[in-house]
C-alpha cells in the first residue's frame, strides 16, 4: 500500500492550476492533503474521542486516514443549520395540509381524512421540534471555540442526533399523509389511484432504505 501511495503522489507531484492565468488557484497535491489531515487528527477532534487514528500514529496510508471522519465546529454548525431549515420547510408543508379543511369541528369526518389530519399534525410537531432543537444547538455550538465545541459535541452525541431523528420521522409522516391524500382524492379514478399509491410507497421505501444504508455505513 505504501508503494502504491508513493506512485499516486508522484503522479500529482506537480501542481495543477484551476482557472488558468486569470485565477491562478493552485490545488494541493496528495501529500499536502495527507499532512493537513494528519495535523487535524493530531488534535482531540476525532469523532470517537480517542485522539489521533492509527494512521496519524504511523499507520498504513491515506486511505485509512480518509476512512475516519473529522469533527470540527464548522461542520457542526452547518449540520444544525441545514437540518433546521429543512425541518421548518417540511413542517410548513404539513401545516398547509392541516388547513385544507378536511376535518371540520362539529361535523362527522371520514376515517381516511382523520388519518391524514393526524399524520400531518404529528409531522408538524416533529419537524417544528427538530427545527427548534437545531436552533438551540446552533446557539450553544456557536458560543464555543473550535476545540471546546468539538469536546462538547463528543460528550453529547445523543443530543446532536435528535434534530435529524425528529426530522426523519416528520418527513416519513408527511410523505405518508401525501400518500393517503392522493388515495382519498382519486377515489373516482382507480387507475390513477393505484399509480399514485405505487409512487408513494416507492418514495417511502427509498427514504427508509437510504436511512438504513447510511446508518450502517
Amino acid at each position: 500500500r505504501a508503494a502504491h501511495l508513493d506512485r499516486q503522489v508522484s503522479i500529482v507531484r506537480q501542481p495543477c492550476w484551476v482557472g488558468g492565468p486569470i485565477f491562478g488557484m493552485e490545488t494541493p497535491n496528495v501529500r499536502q492533503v495527507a499532512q493537513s489531515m494528519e495535523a487535524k487528527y493530531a488534535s482531540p477532534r476525532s469523532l470517537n474521542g480517542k485522539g489521533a487514528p492509527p494512521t496519524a500514529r504511523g499507520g498504513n496510508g491515506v486511505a485509512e486516514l480518509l476512512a475516519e471522519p473529522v469533527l470540527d465546529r464548522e461542520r457542526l454548525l452547518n449540520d444544525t443549520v441545514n437540518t433546521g431549515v429543512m425541518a421548518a420547510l417540511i413542517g410548513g408543508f404539513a401545516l398547509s395540509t392541516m388547513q385544507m379543511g378536511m376535518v371540520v369541528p362539529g361535523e362527522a369526518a371520514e376515517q381516511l381524512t382523520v388519518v391524514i389530519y393526524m399524520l400531518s399534525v404529528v409531522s408538524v410537531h416533529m419537524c417544528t421540534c427538530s427545527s427548534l432543537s437545531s436552533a438551540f444547538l446552533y446557539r450553544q455550538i456557536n458560543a464555543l471555540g473550535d476545540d471546546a465545541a468539538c469536546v462538547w459535541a463528543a460528550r453529547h452525541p445523543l443530543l446532536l442526533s435528535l434534530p435529524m431523528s425528529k426530522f426523519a420521522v416528520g418527513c416519513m409522516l408527511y410523505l405518508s399523509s401525501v400518500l393517503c391524500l392522493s388515495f382519498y382524492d382519486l377515489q373516482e379514478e382507480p387507475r390513477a389511484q393505484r399509480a399514485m399509491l405505487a409512487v408513494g410507497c416507492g418514495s417511502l421505501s427509498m427514504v427508509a432504505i437510504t436511512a438504513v444504508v447510511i446508518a450502517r455505513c
Side-chain angles (χ1 to χ4, degrees), residues 107-149:
E107 298 182 8
E110 297 184 31
Q111 185 175 3
L112 187 56
T113 60
V114 174
V115 171
I116 296 171
Y117 189 87
M118 292 177 63
L119 288 172
S120 300
V121 169
V122 180
S123 177
V124 169
H125 279 292
M126 298 299 290
C127 290
T128 304
C129 190
S130 172
S131 184
L132 288 174
S133 300
S134 298
F136 295 151
L137 289 173
Y138 184 91
R139 183 178 183 276
Q140 175 66 25
I141 297 170
N142 194 46
L144 300 174
D146 292 343
D147 293 331

